[in-house]
Amino acid sequence: MREARGGVWTDVSARELRARVEDLAYGLGELGVGPGDRVALLSENRVGWAVADLAILLNGALTVPVYPSLGADVAGHILRDSRARVCVVSTPEQLEKVREARPGTALERVIAMDRPPDGGGDVLHVDRVAELGRALRARTPGLVEGRAASVDPHAPATILYTSGTTGLPKGVLLTHENILSNIRSVLSVFEIGPGDVTLSFLPLCHIFERTAGYYTMLQAGAVISYAESVETVPRDLVQIRPTIVLGVPRFYEKTRDRVLEAVRDAPPARRRLFAWAMRVGGAAADARIAGRRPGPLLAARHVLADRLVLARLRARTGGRIRFFVSGGAALPPEIARFFWAAGLPILEGYGLSETAPVIAANTFRHVRIGSVGRPVPGVEVRIAADGEILCRGPNVMLGYHELHEETAAAVRDGWFHTGDVGHQDEDGFLFITDRKKDLFKITAGKYVAPQPIEGRLQLNRLVGQAVVVGSRRKHAAALIVPERAALEREAREAGVHADDFESLLRDPRVLALYEGVLREVNASLAAHEKVRRFALLAEPFTIDSGELTPTLKVKRSVVEARYRSRIDAMYGDAGG
């Protein structure tokens, strides 16, 4: 593993990692942590996260990850609901959050990775716990190893609290075998080995990064490099030169937008060269996806395009990427094609917390842009009569923690009901339409799937975020958060001046720009899907404001309640 602090990278060898894990595992044992206990883990991505997680699991205890972006109220709910006895925290700021959330919980101990500014009080530093562990190991050798060997593969390994677009998060109980079966499935279709390096920046609290970017990489012997922060990812890509990177669609959209913005500033000849190179790269990618070799003329053009343009694009990611993986939300096909054309293949997959998570994935052998791939080995998929995607396999959760009715509703006759709507084509590729609960019906009786429309809106460089609304209204409408830098630049070039950003959003020339955006998107939509009205919002949806989950999913009910007056105004009155 590697991690950065202040731009300086530190390597941790496999031998050192194992020693740190075993010392902490024995230390937790000395503090009374044993099989079946719950240990909360509140930390940003770092080597210490993995050390704590593996030490917890070695004791037969359950890891309860807590997103560091959560407030003390939700963190307190997770601590209480899981009945965690111990909490491992990273920074002094996160420690303060735990102290605020602690009343009413079952916490007996708090362990800090960083030294508390006040000397600690009732908090033990992780190094002190490791010392206790070495002493216990000297007295009782083999204790932790015995516990690890006796763990039932079908026993819970973690309580994973879903980020929750409605209400408080639910605890998903995943077993060791849920996760291990998924690792085996992934490694049977992806070639990953000791020569690979991954850059980790998605939250380890999320099962996508945890299974695919952490456990799977450990199993394959790859090097895991923890980015210093999301903001340092462009720098870290160049420094670490990874071969595999996991990201969410927004990461790929932002990366593409930065490239296109730079091209927009280039002289006309260079813009034409870029467009030509991308067309050639796209044609070569189409051949690769179809499993055929490019013809001699295309191959020669591709060599030239690569030398002049495409290799420089790849250099921005370190120059060694074998493939990207996209998950967490639908990846717009246009984004996938852009990266494939640049020689940076994105393999899109699909899954949920409740399925540990991978259900389906595109691979180099079987890829279809716009789909989430075929079900991975050992996992079955079928489509219910109403279009809902059902999944069955060894990766399906044990259930929701102490929520028996919710578990019975979600898993019926062994089939997990994903809540997503989609279809499979004749070759078994799975396509996702939307979340079942997000579909809404307009007054004409037609259903509208908002996510694909929002994805198309957000492809425009002037759109940062979009939420499509319209339940029980005459037509669909959109709340749009402009991409501020792009809009301000466009306004300057058009000679539009305003005293502040909100005034800019009211300018008729700016409104006309976004009317043009809607026309472009509506051109490819069915009549009942077309977005007829929009409102521009000055402030982005954020985690802190409660409008986004920690995994950046929109909390639609929160957004619609907060902007009810703006939504009503788009329809002319409250009845719409």
Side-chain angles (χ1 to χ4, degrees):
M1 292 185 173
R2 294 183 181 128
E3 64 183 354
R5 290 288 180 271
V8 178
W9 289 88
T10 302
D11 289 356
V12 178
S13 69
R15 181 178 288 110
E16 180 185 347
L17 179 66
R18 178 169 184 149
R20 286 175 60 179
V21 168
E22 290 178 346
D23 286 349
L24 185 58
Y26 270 91
L28 291 173
E30 177 71 349
L31 296 178
V33 173
D37 285 332
R38 290 85 188 273
V39 179
L41 177 50
L42 174 53
S43 169
E44 304 77 10
N45 286 22
R46 57 198 287 180
V47 173
W49 201 106
V51 170
D53 175 53
L54 294 172
I56 294 163
L57 296 177
L58 278 177
N59 276 293
L62 285 69
T63 301
V64 182
V66 183
Y67 284 96
S69 58
L70 292 176
D73 53 344
V74 182
H77 163 74
I78 292 171
L79 293 173
R80 288 188 296 274
D81 189 72
S82 66
R83 295 194 298 277
R85 294 181 53 217
V86 174
C87 182
V88 182
V89 301
S90 55
T91 64
E93 292 76 17
Q94 299 298 349
L95 175 58
E96 283 307 307
K97 188 184 298 180
V98 171
R99 283 175 168 161
E100 183 181 343
R102 190 170 183 175
T105 71
L107 281 185
E108 300 168 9
R109 298 278 186 174
V110 178
I111 300 169
M113 297 182 192
D114 297 343
R115 294 200 177 275
D118 57 3
D122 61 344
V123 179
L124 286 173
H125 188 261
V126 70
D127 289 348
R128 175 57 182 154
V129 180
E131 289 175 14
L132 295 173
R134 287 188 287 273
L136 175 62
R137 188 172 196 171
R139 299 194 310 271
T140 317
L143 172 66
V144 167
E145 290 82 354
R147 285 177 174 174
S150 64
V151 168
D152 179 357
H154 299 287
T158 187
I159 307 178
L160 191 72
Y161 283 82
T162 61
S163 48
T165 56
T166 57
L168 289 170
K170 299 192 292 283
V172 175
L173 279 165
L174 293 179
T175 69
H176 294 268
E177 180 58 21
N178 287 154
I179 296 169
L180 287 166
S181 71
N182 217 229
I183 293 169
R184 291 192 292 267
S185 295
V186 168
L187 290 178
S188 70
V189 292
F190 287 93
E191 292 184 5
I192 305 172
D196 282 307
V197 176
T198 185
L199 181 67
S200 171
F201 59 90
L202 298 180
L204 278 164
C205 292
H206 194 278
I207 194 62
F208 175 36
E209 181 66 29
R210 191 168 167 197
T211 293
Y214 163 38
Y215 293 139
T216 298
M217 297 300 168
L218 278 183
Q219 176 73 11
V223 176
I224 303 172
S225 306
Y226 291 110
E228 192 160 0
S229 70
V230 174
E231 288 72 29
T232 65
V233 167
R235 177 203 74 187
D236 297 341
L237 283 167
V238 174
Q239 291 181 348
I240 289 300
R241 304 183 64 230
T243 60
I244 301 169
V245 172
L246 278 63
V248 293
R250 196 65 182 142
F251 165 72
Y252 300 114
E253 291 169 6
K254 288 283 191 182
T255 302
R256 186 203 67 153
D257 289 348
R258 282 196 297 269
V259 172
L260 294 182
E261 198 66 24
V263 170
R264 193 164 173 263
D265 287 336
R270 190 171 295 176
R271 292 201 299 269
R272 289 193 295 271
L273 177 63
F274 176 84
W276 170 80
M278 292 300 289
R279 285 196 302 272
V280 171
D286 288 342
R288 182 180 183 183
I289 290 169
R292 64 176 189 272
R293 299 171 71 89
L297 181 58
L298 176 57
R301 287 175 174 165
H302 190 237
V303 168
L304 183 60
D306 197 73
R307 185 178 302 154
L308 295 176
V309 176
L310 306 181
R312 296 182 184 183
L313 290 182
R314 294 196 298 277
R316 296 168 70 118
T317 65
R320 291 199 306 169
I321 292 287
R322 293 202 297 119
F323 60 89
F324 286 105
V325 180
S326 182
L331 178 71
E334 296 86 345
I335 300 295
R337 291 191 181 96
F338 178 89
F339 276 80
W340 274 87
L344 296 165
I346 299 181
L347 300 174
E348 186 178 6
Y350 165 66
L352 298 95
S353 300
E354 292 89 340
T355 57
V358 186
I359 292 174
N362 282 284
T363 67
F364 282 120
R365 291 190 63 188
H366 303 290
V367 59
R368 189 154 296 173
I369 289 177
S371 81
V372 294
R374 292 174 166 179
V376 295
V379 176
E380 297 176 76
V381 165
R382 78 179 188 194
I383 309 298
D386 62 356
E388 184 175 8
I389 299 165
L390 311 184
C391 166
R392 182 169 68 181
N395 60 324
V396 172
M397 67 172 180
L398 202 59
Y400 294 114
H401 180 238
E402 296 184 347
L403 296 172
H404 304 297
E405 290 183 9
E406 286 87 342
T407 299
V411 185
R412 289 173 252 161
D413 298 323
W415 289 92
F416 172 65
H417 290 60
T418 65
D420 290 313
V421 176
H423 66 275
Q424 276 184 289
D425 67 13
E426 65 279 2
D427 297 316
F429 287 91
L430 183 61
F431 293 79
I432 312 297
T433 304
D434 212 315
R435 287 294 290 171
K436 188 176 177 180
K437 63 181 175 60
D438 290 343
L439 298 175
F440 61 81
K441 188 185 286 188
I442 59 175
T443 53
K446 299 277 191 176
Y447 277 103
V448 175
Q451 284 190 26
I453 303 172
E454 292 161 357
R456 293 182 190 186
L457 284 167
Q458 288 169 179
L459 283 174
N460 192 288
R461 64 187 182 82
L462 295 176
V463 178
Q465 297 167 307
V467 172
V468 172
V469 299
S471 177
R472 297 186 297 278
R473 305 275 194 168
K474 295 176 183 177
H475 53 73
L479 297 169
I480 296 174
V481 178
E483 189 65 56
R484 183 165 182 162
L487 174 58
E488 289 177 336
R489 172 178 169 161
E490 186 87 15
R492 282 195 306 272
E493 292 176 354
V496 180
H497 302 288
D499 294 335
D500 53 51
F501 192 59
E502 289 194 3
S503 299
L504 181 66
L505 298 187
R506 293 192 294 269
D507 190 287
R509 290 164 292 182
V510 169
L511 295 174
L513 282 176
Y514 286 91
E515 287 167 0
V517 171
L518 284 192
R519 280 195 298 274
E520 288 180 14
V521 171
N522 283 337
S524 61
L525 298 177
H528 70 278
E529 296 175 314
K530 293 184 187 300
V531 180
R532 310 286 183 179
R533 297 284 186 274
F534 69 94
L536 300 180
L537 306 180
E539 296 298 325
F541 308 129
T542 65
I543 296 171
D544 291 342
S545 67
E547 295 154 339
L548 298 181
T549 71
T551 55
L552 305 183
K553 293 184 177 69
V554 172
K555 294 184 178 180
R556 294 180 184 275
S557 60
V558 173
V559 169
E560 292 190 25
R562 189 158 294 167
Y563 294 100
R564 174 59 56 197
S565 62
R566 299 293 302 272
I567 294 170
D568 289 344
M570 285 192 287
Y571 291 97
D573 58 57

